[in-house]
Amino acid sequence: MRRAVAVGAFIFAVFLAVQVAEAGAFYLHDHQSYWWYVVDTPAFSAIVPSTGQSYVERSIFGMNSLLISLKDGVVMEVHSQPGTDVEAVRSSLEARYKPLVKDVSVLSNQEITTSNNLKCLFYAYEATGADGKRVMLRSVFFQRGGYVVYMTYFLEAAKFQGDTREYWIRAVNGFEWN
């Protein structure tokens, strides 16, 4: 029995070490409403809200993600994945939610330059969600080396104001390659 507990503890410790090695790290930001989210591979930093209700890191098929649930059903995601085809990644994001939205109105699908002087693709739309409410998807896609890093924001369109709007703007303009 003692041997089984020791083996189980060892496996759990190895599992934790592997999870920590793959995950990003959170650091204090100058403003208390934000954290720096820092990832080693690919090396980047993103400013994310510190006011989330939950933070979940996961890895699926080589794509690493941070899922942040904010109040009132607002969701921010930070993804990184191998590749260089930004349009393919954008198209897959659009297709992922296509069954849930109708009457899509594309607000933007263009290259922008952030406050950190980084070029990225900005893609956003408003649509009617499966629940009948007007919804919004906002996303930015950064590409460097063999990786695409992108951030997405999902929310009811009417909620894109105040702090909720500022969280998105700060995330986009604060992104940097390390």
Side-chain angles (χ1 to χ4, degrees):
M1 177 68 176
R2 184 178 283 169
R3 178 177 163 85
V5 170
V7 169
F10 175 75
I11 291 171
F12 182 70
V14 168
F15 175 77
L16 282 178
V18 168
Q19 292 297 319
V20 171
E22 292 180 357
F26 294 92
Y27 296 96
L28 291 176
H29 188 272
D30 293 342
H31 192 284
Q32 67 184 13
S33 295
Y34 301 95
W35 286 329
W36 280 105
Y37 177 64
V38 179
V39 175
D40 290 333
T41 305
F44 71 90
S45 299
I47 297 173
V48 298
S50 64
T51 56
Q53 294 175 331
S54 68
Y55 296 79
V56 177
E57 290 184 294
R58 61 186 179 192
S59 181
I60 301 171
F61 304 138
M63 176 180 71
N64 296 311
S65 302
L66 170 65
L67 171 69
I68 305 169
S69 296
L70 302 166
K71 67 180 181 175
D72 299 326
V74 177
V75 175
M76 178 183 281
E77 297 176 350
V78 180
H79 304 276
S80 64
Q81 66 184 63
T84 58
D85 190 346
V86 170
E87 181 55 30
V89 176
R90 188 209 59 79
S91 294
S92 70
L93 175 65
E94 183 179 40
R96 178 179 169 193
Y97 295 100
K98 190 172 186 172
L100 299 173
V101 296
K102 62 182 179 182
D103 303 323
V104 174
S105 175
V106 175
L107 303 173
S108 182
N109 186 10
Q110 65 184 342
E111 183 176 87
I112 64 169
T113 303
T114 69
S115 296
N116 281 342
N117 205 31
L118 294 176
K119 293 194 183 305
C120 63
L121 173 66
F122 173 52
Y123 179 74
Y125 68 67
E126 282 192 19
T128 302
D131 59 2
K133 295 179 181 176
R134 203 70 185 147
V135 296
M136 178 182 285
L137 162 75
R138 302 181 79 79
S139 53
V140 288
F141 301 83
F142 299 90
Q143 195 284 319
R144 182 168 142 184
Y147 288 92
V148 175
V149 175
Y150 62 105
M151 295 184 282
T152 56
Y153 212 41
F154 307 95
L155 65 159
E156 289 179 22
K159 294 180 181 176
F160 191 62
Q161 59 184 332
D163 286 343
T164 301
R165 182 177 182 273
E166 186 61 29
Y167 292 151
W168 175 251
I169 292 170
R170 182 77 65 113
V172 170
N173 287 294
F175 179 87
E176 55 189 46
W177 294 106
N178 296 339

